[in-house]
Amino acid sequence: MVKLKKYNGFLKLFVIFLTLFFITSCSKKNYNLTKIEGKLLPVTEKASETPAIESFIAPYRNHINKDLDSILAYAPETLDKSSGKWQSTIGNLMADVCVERGNLVFKAREKKSIDLCLLNHGGIRAILPKGNVTSRTAFEIMPFENSMVVMALKGDQILEMCSYIIKAQKAQPLSGMTFTIAKDKTPKNIMIQGKPLDLTSTYYVATNDYLANGGDSMTFFAKSVQKYDLNYKLRDVLIDYFKEVDTIPVPRDIRITEE
């Protein structure tokens, strides 16, 4: 028994010695992270659900789905952003709606009117399908949290805007302005609200906060005289519009022409 106690005591001292040696050695060395390894853990429908969590979430999910799927309007045909070279039916509609709904806020706050609207082709994330239109439709078309802003631009920036549209060669949503693309790929016959462009005038252009900050290389917005934030999400603009109309119009008017 005496020998066993001596052995245990020696073993404890040896463990303490090794621990102190390891700590001292580590403190003298610099360790650098050289590699991180990981693996994907797939989440599939086969993954088991937690009944308690599911029962807690279900009422909220059902309530949200009911709101999202309530019918607001009817689309007589599918509106698609690929329906034209320089303008599309859904793009025209969205830009028109922004001018219409945006003016309700802009006129009340600033006593001014929106002259035109420019959005971006890539911002439209889904079609507006033929049939019943719901709030979910608006979320699918505009899933981002972008808000509407109004930028005060001089005539020179409007020229830059037209040049940008020509260079981008996409059907950018446009409302309130028409122009012709000359053979040398420059804009001409620029009309805003039915009147010729005046380089000395200030125009109020509705867009979204992403583009207003230079998104999609729309740098002409950075030269604005003033910026007005309407605190009105583009998705809510669509939803409010859908609630007010019975049948969605299909805007087919030509806003950009080529020589």
Side-chain angles (χ1 to χ4, degrees):
M1 180 67 70
V2 175
K3 289 184 179 180
L4 182 59
K5 287 183 178 179
K6 288 183 178 180
Y7 176 77
N8 288 337
F10 173 78
L11 182 61
K12 290 179 180 179
L13 289 174
F14 182 69
V15 171
I16 292 172
F17 171 77
L18 286 178
T19 302
L20 292 174
F21 176 79
F22 178 76
I23 293 173
T24 304
S25 299
C26 289
S27 64
K28 295 180 181 179
K29 295 181 180 180
N30 294 322
Y31 289 92
N32 297 314
L33 182 65
T34 58
K35 184 171 65 172
I36 297 176
E37 293 183 348
K39 63 179 181 179
L40 289 174
L41 298 176
V43 178
T44 65
E45 294 182 357
K46 295 181 179 180
S48 60
E49 296 179 347
T50 304
I53 295 177
E54 175 61 23
S55 62
F56 178 80
I57 293 175
Y60 297 97
R61 183 197 298 120
N62 295 338
H63 178 72
I64 291 173
N65 285 335
K66 183 178 179 181
D67 286 344
L68 288 176
D69 294 329
S70 59
I71 299 172
L72 305 179
Y74 178 80
E77 63 180 79
T78 297
L79 278 65
D80 190 339
K81 71 178 184 180
S82 62
S83 60
K85 179 179 180 181
W86 295 109
Q87 52 261 308
S88 67
T89 50
I90 191 171
N92 284 358
L93 176 70
M94 288 185 64
D96 288 349
V97 170
C98 283
V99 172
E100 178 183 326
R101 299 293 309 177
N103 259 329
L104 297 178
V105 179
F106 195 54
K107 287 181 178 179
R109 289 185 187 175
E110 306 297 334
K111 311 304 179 188
K112 298 179 175 67
S113 296
I114 295 171
D115 295 300
L116 64 142
C117 174
L118 175 67
L119 302 174
N120 58 324
H121 179 269
I124 303 173
R125 308 302 287 188
I127 63 172
L128 197 162
K130 178 181 178 180
N132 292 331
V133 176
T134 65
S135 294
R136 190 184 298 277
T137 308
F139 273 85
E140 291 170 347
I141 295 172
M142 188 59 59
F144 311 114
E145 296 300 308
N146 295 122
S147 295
M148 191 190 307
V149 298
V150 177
M151 309 296 282
L153 299 182
K154 291 293 187 181
D156 288 338
Q157 281 71 65
I158 300 299
L159 279 175
E160 290 182 42
M161 179 190 298
C162 294
S163 297
Y164 171 90
I165 293 172
I166 295 171
K167 184 177 180 180
Q169 295 187 335
K170 292 181 180 179
Q172 312 288 0
L174 181 68
S175 178
M177 180 171 71
T178 62
F179 66 91
T180 298
I181 303 173
K183 292 181 179 179
D184 61 356
K185 301 302 179 183
T186 59
K188 60 184 291 188
N189 301 329
I190 302 172
M191 305 289 286
I192 298 178
Q193 293 297 329
K195 298 179 181 179
L197 172 67
D198 181 356
L199 295 180
T200 63
S201 294
T202 298
Y203 296 95
Y204 296 101
V205 184
T207 188
N208 64 53
D209 52 353
Y210 168 71
L211 300 177
N213 293 325
D216 276 12
S217 300
M218 294 192 184
T219 54
F220 46 84
F221 280 129
K223 303 174 185 178
S224 65
V225 178
Q226 194 167 357
K227 177 181 178 181
Y228 304 87
D229 192 339
L230 302 189
N231 298 309
Y232 198 177
K233 293 188 185 302
L234 262 65
R235 182 193 307 120
D236 292 335
V237 171
L238 284 178
I239 291 174
D240 289 345
Y241 175 76
F242 293 156
K243 289 178 179 179
E244 286 198 346
V245 299
D246 178 69
T247 302
I248 304 296
V250 182
R252 304 183 189 278
D253 55 308
I254 305 300
R255 305 177 185 191
I256 301 175
T257 56
E258 292 181 89
E259 283 189 338

